[in-house]
Amino acid sequence: MSTATTTPQRDAARQEGTKHARRFGLPIATALVMGNIIGGGIFLLPASVAPYGTVSLVAFGVLTLGAIALALVFGRLAHRLPQTGGPYVYARAAFGDFAGFLAAWSYWITAWVSNAALAVAAVGYLDVLVPIHESKAATIAAALTLQWLPALANLAGTRYVGAVQLVATVLKFVPLILVAVGGLFFFDSANLGPFQASGGGTLGAVSASAAILLFSYLGVESAAVSAGEVRDPRRNVGRATVLGTLGAAAVYLLGTLSVFGTVAHDKLVTSTAPFSDAVDVMFGGSWGGAAVACMALVSMLGALNGWTLLSAQAPYAAARDGLFPKVFTVKRRGVPTVGVLVTVVLASLLTVYNYTAGTKGVFEILVLVTTFTATVPYLLSTAAQIYFLLSGQSEKVSRARLARDGVLALAAFGFSLWLVAGSGYAAVYQGVLFLFAGVLVYAWMAARKQRASSQGVNEEARA
């Protein structure tokens, strides 16, 4: 083996061995998945689906099965290809550079636009604790601070990313579980309201409520994207993905059910803080709003911490293969630092634009677009798994698990298609434009890669 090959490996090993760069074990990888799936949306979900009645719990159950199937597929893919990049790695291995680039590009767009959305939403909860809405400058400063604090934790190294993620997950889930489980002791079936409250058919109500709930499971791929930073990824990525998804599903379902049973249906339909209303019913008083605001802030900071890391991983993996600018390969303390910085800067600019442009709905449209762009890597990953199964690649397929893996892959692909359909016509239209913009970037990077390859061949021929 040549020195040119071994030196980067030794450098990488030394880098991973620094005190600031540490591989994630199973607990932190699981916390990463759970923290990224559950952001701040859980605090509004019960009120969002209440108009459809308790039939929305059926939609939740169906979605949970789809999310678990997707999680299992990512676990199998990570076992075969345990490298940083997740969906990018799988799509490229199955379908080539262009598919891999589309996966990385769409995932990157999803990450930094979603970070801006999380920060803006977090400011709304912060305003409950510290009124800042009267000052636009204070509001912008708060939103930017909420973005840059997780970014600084990431720049400090994977050791600190993991610590912040684990603490944020614990602080987030302890009060959530208290409400989810404690609410069952105050459960009153009279509060549930009708099973189907929308006036249409049951199937239509399930589909309509599912359209709202569909995106509550985005983030199941978190451990797979960071596989290169996970200890023993062939074993731990799959376990963390499934455990994290099951944990998030339990909190979602129990939390929604508890709120349904503690807050009267007619009040829940118009509630802007359903968990706060549930706490008020359980313990009396009016302190629930502040308690829920604290929970939401912790939840969103944890999600921002995890998504900031993921936003840098996909372009890092693509840049190593010459499909993203080379600067994205810069890595310090186990973290792709340039990717983190570019992501937080773009998210910050979008946040400032949201507060200063004065055009209503622009930010909401961009956020809706991310619900489409997030599903592109899912579709490509599940398609890659189907390709591996059908192509008979013995090194990537376990024949003993062929039938089970095939059923799971088809279920996950169907779930991903449902995500696309649920994002709506406008989001799909806008999202396709984002993808086509990426095609131009791919053309530029592919041309540079080809030119560099041709120059190398010519130099070898002359030698």
PDB file of all heavy atoms in Angstrom, residues 296-330:
ATOM      1  N   ALA A 296     -40.355  23.756  24.827  1.00  0.00           N
ATOM      2  CA  ALA A 296     -40.223  23.956  23.388  1.00  0.00           C
ATOM      3  C   ALA A 296     -38.850  24.514  23.035  1.00  0.00           C
ATOM      4  O   ALA A 296     -38.242  24.108  22.036  1.00  0.00           O
ATOM      5  CB  ALA A 296     -41.320  24.895  22.889  1.00  0.00           C
ATOM      6  N   LEU A 297     -38.349  25.449  23.845  1.00  0.00           N
ATOM      7  CA  LEU A 297     -37.035  26.026  23.580  1.00  0.00           C
ATOM      8  C   LEU A 297     -35.940  24.967  23.667  1.00  0.00           C
ATOM      9  O   LEU A 297     -35.053  24.893  22.805  1.00  0.00           O
ATOM     10  CB  LEU A 297     -36.748  27.164  24.564  1.00  0.00           C
ATOM     11  CG  LEU A 297     -37.363  28.517  24.220  1.00  0.00           C
ATOM     12  CD1 LEU A 297     -37.145  29.504  25.363  1.00  0.00           C
ATOM     13  CD2 LEU A 297     -36.750  29.078  22.933  1.00  0.00           C
ATOM     14  N   VAL A 298     -35.991  24.147  24.711  1.00  0.00           N
ATOM     15  CA  VAL A 298     -35.008  23.078  24.844  1.00  0.00           C
ATOM     16  C   VAL A 298     -35.107  22.117  23.665  1.00  0.00           C
ATOM     17  O   VAL A 298     -34.104  21.682  23.084  1.00  0.00           O
ATOM     18  CB  VAL A 298     -35.211  22.325  26.177  1.00  0.00           C
ATOM     19  CG1 VAL A 298     -34.331  21.075  26.231  1.00  0.00           C
ATOM     20  CG2 VAL A 298     -34.899  23.235  27.352  1.00  0.00           C
ATOM     21  N   SER A 299     -36.344  21.785  23.292  1.00  0.00           N
ATOM     22  CA  SER A 299     -36.570  20.863  22.184  1.00  0.00           C
ATOM     23  C   SER A 299     -35.977  21.393  20.894  1.00  0.00           C
ATOM     24  O   SER A 299     -35.298  20.677  20.149  1.00  0.00           O
ATOM     25  CB  SER A 299     -38.077  20.627  22.010  1.00  0.00           C
ATOM     26  OG  SER A 299     -38.338  19.807  20.896  1.00  0.00           O
ATOM     27  N   MET A 300     -36.221  22.661  20.616  1.00  0.00           N
ATOM     28  CA  MET A 300     -35.753  23.242  19.363  1.00  0.00           C
ATOM     29  C   MET A 300     -34.248  23.446  19.347  1.00  0.00           C
ATOM     30  O   MET A 300     -33.603  23.279  18.303  1.00  0.00           O
ATOM     31  CB  MET A 300     -36.473  24.563  19.102  1.00  0.00           C
ATOM     32  CG  MET A 300     -37.942  24.368  18.790  1.00  0.00           C
ATOM     33  SD  MET A 300     -38.784  25.925  18.466  1.00  0.00           S
ATOM     34  CE  MET A 300     -40.447  25.308  18.182  1.00  0.00           C
ATOM     35  N   LEU A 301     -33.663  23.795  20.487  1.00  0.00           N
ATOM     36  CA  LEU A 301     -32.209  23.931  20.538  1.00  0.00           C
ATOM     37  C   LEU A 301     -31.546  22.579  20.296  1.00  0.00           C
ATOM     38  O   LEU A 301     -30.527  22.488  19.605  1.00  0.00           O
ATOM     39  CB  LEU A 301     -31.774  24.503  21.888  1.00  0.00           C
ATOM     40  CG  LEU A 301     -31.920  26.016  22.046  1.00  0.00           C
ATOM     41  CD1 LEU A 301     -31.650  26.430  23.486  1.00  0.00           C
ATOM     42  CD2 LEU A 301     -30.979  26.756  21.097  1.00  0.00           C
ATOM     43  N   GLY A 302     -32.135  21.515  20.852  1.00  0.00           N
ATOM     44  CA  GLY A 302     -31.600  20.183  20.603  1.00  0.00           C
ATOM     45  C   GLY A 302     -31.706  19.811  19.141  1.00  0.00           C
ATOM     46  O   GLY A 302     -30.777  19.235  18.561  1.00  0.00           O
ATOM     47  N   ALA A 303     -32.852  20.132  18.529  1.00  0.00           N
ATOM     48  CA  ALA A 303     -33.038  19.834  17.103  1.00  0.00           C
ATOM     49  C   ALA A 303     -32.068  20.650  16.252  1.00  0.00           C
ATOM     50  O   ALA A 303     -31.485  20.135  15.288  1.00  0.00           O
ATOM     51  CB  ALA A 303     -34.475  20.121  16.690  1.00  0.00           C
ATOM     52  N   LEU A 304     -31.876  21.919  16.595  1.00  0.00           N
ATOM     53  CA  LEU A 304     -30.937  22.759  15.852  1.00  0.00           C
ATOM     54  C   LEU A 304     -29.514  22.227  15.978  1.00  0.00           C
ATOM     55  O   LEU A 304     -28.744  22.232  15.007  1.00  0.00           O
ATOM     56  CB  LEU A 304     -31.001  24.203  16.375  1.00  0.00           C
ATOM     57  CG  LEU A 304     -32.135  25.067  15.832  1.00  0.00           C
ATOM     58  CD1 LEU A 304     -32.293  26.333  16.675  1.00  0.00           C
ATOM     59  CD2 LEU A 304     -31.891  25.438  14.379  1.00  0.00           C
ATOM     60  N   ASN A 305     -29.150  21.742  17.156  1.00  0.00           N
ATOM     61  CA  ASN A 305     -27.817  21.182  17.360  1.00  0.00           C
ATOM     62  C   ASN A 305     -27.586  19.974  16.455  1.00  0.00           C
ATOM     63  O   ASN A 305     -26.557  19.867  15.780  1.00  0.00           O
ATOM     64  CB  ASN A 305     -27.664  20.783  18.830  1.00  0.00           C
ATOM     65  CG  ASN A 305     -26.290  20.202  19.133  1.00  0.00           C
ATOM     66  OD1 ASN A 305     -25.274  20.869  19.039  1.00  0.00           O
ATOM     67  ND2 ASN A 305     -26.272  18.931  19.497  1.00  0.00           N
ATOM     68  N   GLY A 306     -28.569  19.083  16.411  1.00  0.00           N
ATOM     69  CA  GLY A 306     -28.428  17.890  15.586  1.00  0.00           C
ATOM     70  C   GLY A 306     -28.486  18.177  14.103  1.00  0.00           C
ATOM     71  O   GLY A 306     -27.681  17.657  13.324  1.00  0.00           O
ATOM     72  N   TRP A 307     -29.425  19.024  13.686  1.00  0.00           N
ATOM     73  CA  TRP A 307     -29.567  19.319  12.265  1.00  0.00           C
ATOM     74  C   TRP A 307     -28.387  20.123  11.729  1.00  0.00           C
ATOM     75  O   TRP A 307     -28.055  20.043  10.542  1.00  0.00           O
ATOM     76  CB  TRP A 307     -30.868  20.082  12.007  1.00  0.00           C
ATOM     77  CG  TRP A 307     -32.048  19.176  11.876  1.00  0.00           C
ATOM     78  CD1 TRP A 307     -33.046  18.967  12.786  1.00  0.00           C
ATOM     79  CD2 TRP A 307     -32.358  18.318  10.765  1.00  0.00           C
ATOM     80  NE1 TRP A 307     -33.946  18.036  12.311  1.00  0.00           N
ATOM     81  CE2 TRP A 307     -33.548  17.622  11.083  1.00  0.00           C
ATOM     82  CE3 TRP A 307     -31.729  18.067   9.549  1.00  0.00           C
ATOM     83  CZ2 TRP A 307     -34.126  16.701  10.207  1.00  0.00           C
ATOM     84  CZ3 TRP A 307     -32.296  17.148   8.678  1.00  0.00           C
ATOM     85  CH2 TRP A 307     -33.485  16.476   9.013  1.00  0.00           C
ATOM     86  N   THR A 308     -27.740  20.912  12.590  1.00  0.00           N
ATOM     87  CA  THR A 308     -26.551  21.655  12.152  1.00  0.00           C
ATOM     88  C   THR A 308     -25.444  20.687  11.769  1.00  0.00           C
ATOM     89  O   THR A 308     -24.756  20.867  10.751  1.00  0.00           O
ATOM     90  CB  THR A 308     -26.066  22.613  13.251  1.00  0.00           C
ATOM     91  OG1 THR A 308     -27.098  23.578  13.529  1.00  0.00           O
ATOM     92  CG2 THR A 308     -24.808  23.355  12.813  1.00  0.00           C
ATOM     93  N   LEU A 309     -25.278  19.634  12.568  1.00  0.00           N
ATOM     94  CA  LEU A 309     -24.272  18.626  12.223  1.00  0.00           C
ATOM     95  C   LEU A 309     -24.645  17.914  10.927  1.00  0.00           C
ATOM     96  O   LEU A 309     -23.815  17.754  10.028  1.00  0.00           O
ATOM     97  CB  LEU A 309     -24.149  17.602  13.358  1.00  0.00           C
ATOM     98  CG  LEU A 309     -23.218  16.414  13.085  1.00  0.00           C
ATOM     99  CD1 LEU A 309     -21.780  16.889  12.899  1.00  0.00           C
ATOM    100  CD2 LEU A 309     -23.304  15.396  14.217  1.00  0.00           C
ATOM    101  N   LEU A 310     -25.911  17.507  10.796  1.00  0.00           N
ATOM    102  CA  LEU A 310     -26.340  16.780   9.600  1.00  0.00           C
ATOM    103  C   LEU A 310     -26.225  17.641   8.351  1.00  0.00           C
ATOM    104  O   LEU A 310     -25.931  17.141   7.263  1.00  0.00           O
ATOM    105  CB  LEU A 310     -27.781  16.298   9.763  1.00  0.00           C
ATOM    106  CG  LEU A 310     -28.056  15.307  10.894  1.00  0.00           C
ATOM    107  CD1 LEU A 310     -29.481  14.796  10.812  1.00  0.00           C
ATOM    108  CD2 LEU A 310     -27.082  14.141  10.857  1.00  0.00           C
ATOM    109  N   SER A 311     -26.463  18.938   8.499  1.00  0.00           N
ATOM    110  CA  SER A 311     -26.414  19.826   7.337  1.00  0.00           C
ATOM    111  C   SER A 311     -25.027  19.907   6.736  1.00  0.00           C
ATOM    112  O   SER A 311     -24.870  20.286   5.565  1.00  0.00           O
ATOM    113  CB  SER A 311     -26.877  21.237   7.750  1.00  0.00           C
ATOM    114  OG  SER A 311     -25.936  21.840   8.630  1.00  0.00           O
ATOM    115  N   ALA A 312     -24.004  19.569   7.509  1.00  0.00           N
ATOM    116  CA  ALA A 312     -22.633  19.608   7.002  1.00  0.00           C
ATOM    117  C   ALA A 312     -22.149  18.247   6.521  1.00  0.00           C
ATOM    118  O   ALA A 312     -21.183  18.166   5.752  1.00  0.00           O
ATOM    119  CB  ALA A 312     -21.693  20.125   8.091  1.00  0.00           C
ATOM    120  N   GLN A 313     -22.810  17.162   6.938  1.00  0.00           N
ATOM    121  CA  GLN A 313     -22.313  15.828   6.633  1.00  0.00           C
ATOM    122  C   GLN A 313     -22.532  15.429   5.173  1.00  0.00           C
ATOM    123  O   GLN A 313     -21.653  14.843   4.543  1.00  0.00           O
ATOM    124  CB  GLN A 313     -22.990  14.786   7.556  1.00  0.00           C
ATOM    125  CG  GLN A 313     -22.720  14.984   9.040  1.00  0.00           C
ATOM    126  CD  GLN A 313     -21.302  14.620   9.432  1.00  0.00           C
ATOM    127  OE1 GLN A 313     -20.396  14.614   8.609  1.00  0.00           O
ATOM    128  NE2 GLN A 313     -21.091  14.315  10.704  1.00  0.00           N
ATOM    129  N   ALA A 314     -23.730  15.687   4.640  1.00  0.00           N
ATOM    130  CA  ALA A 314     -24.008  15.286   3.255  1.00  0.00           C
ATOM    131  C   ALA A 314     -23.101  16.009   2.250  1.00  0.00           C
ATOM    132  O   ALA A 314     -22.493  15.365   1.387  1.00  0.00           O
ATOM    133  CB  ALA A 314     -25.484  15.509   2.922  1.00  0.00           C
ATOM    134  N   PRO A 315     -22.972  17.351   2.325  1.00  0.00           N
ATOM    135  CA  PRO A 315     -22.044  18.007   1.391  1.00  0.00           C
ATOM    136  C   PRO A 315     -20.591  17.607   1.620  1.00  0.00           C
ATOM    137  O   PRO A 315     -19.804  17.576   0.673  1.00  0.00           O
ATOM    138  CB  PRO A 315     -22.255  19.504   1.654  1.00  0.00           C
ATOM    139  CG  PRO A 315     -22.963  19.594   2.946  1.00  0.00           C
ATOM    140  CD  PRO A 315     -23.748  18.341   3.088  1.00  0.00           C
ATOM    141  N   TYR A 316     -20.227  17.257   2.864  1.00  0.00           N
ATOM    142  CA  TYR A 316     -18.863  16.786   3.134  1.00  0.00           C
ATOM    143  C   TYR A 316     -18.590  15.497   2.367  1.00  0.00           C
ATOM    144  O   TYR A 316     -17.550  15.349   1.709  1.00  0.00           O
ATOM    145  CB  TYR A 316     -18.688  16.561   4.638  1.00  0.00           C
ATOM    146  CG  TYR A 316     -17.476  15.738   5.000  1.00  0.00           C
ATOM    147  CD1 TYR A 316     -16.206  16.294   4.983  1.00  0.00           C
ATOM    148  CD2 TYR A 316     -17.607  14.400   5.368  1.00  0.00           C
ATOM    149  CE1 TYR A 316     -15.087  15.539   5.317  1.00  0.00           C
ATOM    150  CE2 TYR A 316     -16.501  13.633   5.698  1.00  0.00           C
ATOM    151  CZ  TYR A 316     -15.242  14.206   5.675  1.00  0.00           C
ATOM    152  OH  TYR A 316     -14.143  13.448   5.999  1.00  0.00           O
ATOM    153  N   ALA A 317     -19.537  14.562   2.443  1.00  0.00           N
ATOM    154  CA  ALA A 317     -19.356  13.293   1.739  1.00  0.00           C
ATOM    155  C   ALA A 317     -19.301  13.500   0.230  1.00  0.00           C
ATOM    156  O   ALA A 317     -18.498  12.883  -0.471  1.00  0.00           O
ATOM    157  CB  ALA A 317     -20.497  12.332   2.109  1.00  0.00           C
ATOM    158  N   ALA A 318     -20.173  14.385  -0.286  1.00  0.00           N
ATOM    159  CA  ALA A 318     -20.179  14.651  -1.729  1.00  0.00           C
ATOM    160  C   ALA A 318     -18.904  15.366  -2.166  1.00  0.00           C
ATOM    161  O   ALA A 318     -18.377  15.116  -3.255  1.00  0.00           O
ATOM    162  CB  ALA A 318     -21.408  15.482  -2.096  1.00  0.00           C
ATOM    163  N   ALA A 319     -18.395  16.263  -1.325  1.00  0.00           N
ATOM    164  CA  ALA A 319     -17.182  17.008  -1.675  1.00  0.00           C
ATOM    165  C   ALA A 319     -15.970  16.084  -1.750  1.00  0.00           C
ATOM    166  O   ALA A 319     -15.063  16.300  -2.561  1.00  0.00           O
ATOM    167  CB  ALA A 319     -16.941  18.116  -0.645  1.00  0.00           C
ATOM    168  N   ARG A 320     -15.945  15.058  -0.919  1.00  0.00           N
ATOM    169  CA  ARG A 320     -14.830  14.103  -0.983  1.00  0.00           C
ATOM    170  C   ARG A 320     -14.784  13.393  -2.329  1.00  0.00           C
ATOM    171  O   ARG A 320     -13.714  12.970  -2.781  1.00  0.00           O
ATOM    172  CB  ARG A 320     -14.976  13.056   0.132  1.00  0.00           C
ATOM    173  CG  ARG A 320     -14.663  13.568   1.523  1.00  0.00           C
ATOM    174  CD  ARG A 320     -14.725  12.423   2.518  1.00  0.00           C
ATOM    175  NE  ARG A 320     -15.969  11.662   2.385  1.00  0.00           N
ATOM    176  CZ  ARG A 320     -16.250  10.580   3.090  1.00  0.00           C
ATOM    177  NH1 ARG A 320     -15.377  10.120   3.958  1.00  0.00           N
ATOM    178  NH2 ARG A 320     -17.402   9.940   2.926  1.00  0.00           N
ATOM    179  N   ASP A 321     -15.942  13.267  -2.964  1.00  0.00           N
ATOM    180  CA  ASP A 321     -16.016  12.598  -4.263  1.00  0.00           C
ATOM    181  C   ASP A 321     -16.000  13.582  -5.425  1.00  0.00           C
ATOM    182  O   ASP A 321     -16.264  13.204  -6.567  1.00  0.00           O
ATOM    183  CB  ASP A 321     -17.289  11.747  -4.332  1.00  0.00           C
ATOM    184  CG  ASP A 321     -17.299  10.642  -3.297  1.00  0.00           C
ATOM    185  OD1 ASP A 321     -16.215  10.082  -3.038  1.00  0.00           O
ATOM    186  OD2 ASP A 321     -18.368  10.343  -2.744  1.00  0.00           O
ATOM    187  N   GLY A 322     -15.727  14.862  -5.145  1.00  0.00           N
ATOM    188  CA  GLY A 322     -15.638  15.855  -6.194  1.00  0.00           C
ATOM    189  C   GLY A 322     -16.968  16.357  -6.713  1.00  0.00           C
ATOM    190  O   GLY A 322     -17.022  16.981  -7.786  1.00  0.00           O
ATOM    191  N   LEU A 323     -18.065  16.130  -5.975  1.00  0.00           N
ATOM    192  CA  LEU A 323     -19.382  16.543  -6.446  1.00  0.00           C
ATOM    193  C   LEU A 323     -19.903  17.780  -5.725  1.00  0.00           C
ATOM    194  O   LEU A 323     -20.985  18.288  -6.047  1.00  0.00           O
ATOM    195  CB  LEU A 323     -20.387  15.390  -6.269  1.00  0.00           C
ATOM    196  CG  LEU A 323     -20.053  14.119  -7.055  1.00  0.00           C
ATOM    197  CD1 LEU A 323     -21.086  13.042  -6.794  1.00  0.00           C
ATOM    198  CD2 LEU A 323     -19.978  14.428  -8.550  1.00  0.00           C
ATOM    199  N   PHE A 324     -19.173  18.253  -4.716  1.00  0.00           N
ATOM    200  CA  PHE A 324     -19.432  19.534  -4.052  1.00  0.00           C
ATOM    201  C   PHE A 324     -18.084  20.258  -4.018  1.00  0.00           C
ATOM    202  O   PHE A 324     -17.040  19.622  -4.152  1.00  0.00           O
ATOM    203  CB  PHE A 324     -19.956  19.311  -2.629  1.00  0.00           C
ATOM    204  CG  PHE A 324     -21.425  19.610  -2.446  1.00  0.00           C
ATOM    205  CD1 PHE A 324     -22.378  18.893  -3.153  1.00  0.00           C
ATOM    206  CD2 PHE A 324     -21.864  20.595  -1.574  1.00  0.00           C
ATOM    207  CE1 PHE A 324     -23.733  19.136  -2.993  1.00  0.00           C
ATOM    208  CE2 PHE A 324     -23.204  20.859  -1.404  1.00  0.00           C
ATOM    209  CZ  PHE A 324     -24.147  20.132  -2.117  1.00  0.00           C
ATOM    210  N   PRO A 325     -18.069  21.579  -3.871  1.00  0.00           N
ATOM    211  CA  PRO A 325     -16.791  22.293  -3.781  1.00  0.00           C
ATOM    212  C   PRO A 325     -15.876  21.682  -2.727  1.00  0.00           C
ATOM    213  O   PRO A 325     -16.316  21.275  -1.649  1.00  0.00           O
ATOM    214  CB  PRO A 325     -17.226  23.716  -3.397  1.00  0.00           C
ATOM    215  CG  PRO A 325     -18.588  23.853  -4.012  1.00  0.00           C
ATOM    216  CD  PRO A 325     -19.224  22.506  -3.859  1.00  0.00           C
ATOM    217  N   LYS A 326     -14.589  21.626  -3.031  1.00  0.00           N
ATOM    218  CA  LYS A 326     -13.619  20.953  -2.182  1.00  0.00           C
ATOM    219  C   LYS A 326     -13.548  21.542  -0.783  1.00  0.00           C
ATOM    220  O   LYS A 326     -13.199  20.848   0.187  1.00  0.00           O
ATOM    221  CB  LYS A 326     -12.234  21.025  -2.844  1.00  0.00           C
ATOM    222  CG  LYS A 326     -11.175  20.191  -2.140  1.00  0.00           C
ATOM    223  CD  LYS A 326      -9.860  20.236  -2.885  1.00  0.00           C
ATOM    224  CE  LYS A 326      -8.802  19.399  -2.173  1.00  0.00           C
ATOM    225  NZ  LYS A 326      -7.505  19.441  -2.891  1.00  0.00           N
ATOM    226  N   VAL A 327     -13.906  22.824  -0.654  1.00  0.00           N
ATOM    227  CA  VAL A 327     -13.808  23.484   0.646  1.00  0.00           C
ATOM    228  C   VAL A 327     -14.694  22.804   1.687  1.00  0.00           C
ATOM    229  O   VAL A 327     -14.433  22.865   2.891  1.00  0.00           O
ATOM    230  CB  VAL A 327     -14.184  24.982   0.504  1.00  0.00           C
ATOM    231  CG1 VAL A 327     -15.669  25.142   0.202  1.00  0.00           C
ATOM    232  CG2 VAL A 327     -13.793  25.757   1.748  1.00  0.00           C
ATOM    233  N   PHE A 328     -15.737  22.092   1.247  1.00  0.00           N
ATOM    234  CA  PHE A 328     -16.637  21.413   2.177  1.00  0.00           C
ATOM    235  C   PHE A 328     -15.980  20.193   2.823  1.00  0.00           C
ATOM    236  O   PHE A 328     -16.563  19.591   3.739  1.00  0.00           O
ATOM    237  CB  PHE A 328     -17.926  20.988   1.469  1.00  0.00           C
ATOM    238  CG  PHE A 328     -18.903  22.108   1.281  1.00  0.00           C
ATOM    239  CD1 PHE A 328     -18.880  22.886   0.132  1.00  0.00           C
ATOM    240  CD2 PHE A 328     -19.857  22.396   2.249  1.00  0.00           C
ATOM    241  CE1 PHE A 328     -19.775  23.918  -0.050  1.00  0.00           C
ATOM    242  CE2 PHE A 328     -20.763  23.427   2.084  1.00  0.00           C
ATOM    243  CZ  PHE A 328     -20.724  24.195   0.931  1.00  0.00           C
ATOM    244  N   THR A 329     -14.774  19.796   2.362  1.00  0.00           N
ATOM    245  CA  THR A 329     -14.092  18.655   2.974  1.00  0.00           C
ATOM    246  C   THR A 329     -13.287  19.058   4.205  1.00  0.00           C
ATOM    247  O   THR A 329     -12.775  18.187   4.915  1.00  0.00           O
ATOM    248  CB  THR A 329     -13.139  17.987   1.969  1.00  0.00           C
ATOM    249  OG1 THR A 329     -12.137  18.939   1.556  1.00  0.00           O
ATOM    250  CG2 THR A 329     -13.889  17.474   0.754  1.00  0.00           C
ATOM    251  N   VAL A 330     -13.158  20.355   4.454  1.00  0.00           N
ATOM    252  CA  VAL A 330     -12.405  20.808   5.619  1.00  0.00           C
ATOM    253  C   VAL A 330     -13.089  20.310   6.890  1.00  0.00           C
ATOM    254  O   VAL A 330     -14.270  20.565   7.118  1.00  0.00           O
ATOM    255  CB  VAL A 330     -12.305  22.347   5.646  1.00  0.00           C
ATOM    256  CG1 VAL A 330     -11.610  22.809   6.925  1.00  0.00           C
ATOM    257  CG2 VAL A 330     -11.553  22.847   4.424  1.00  0.00           C
TER     258      VAL A 330
END
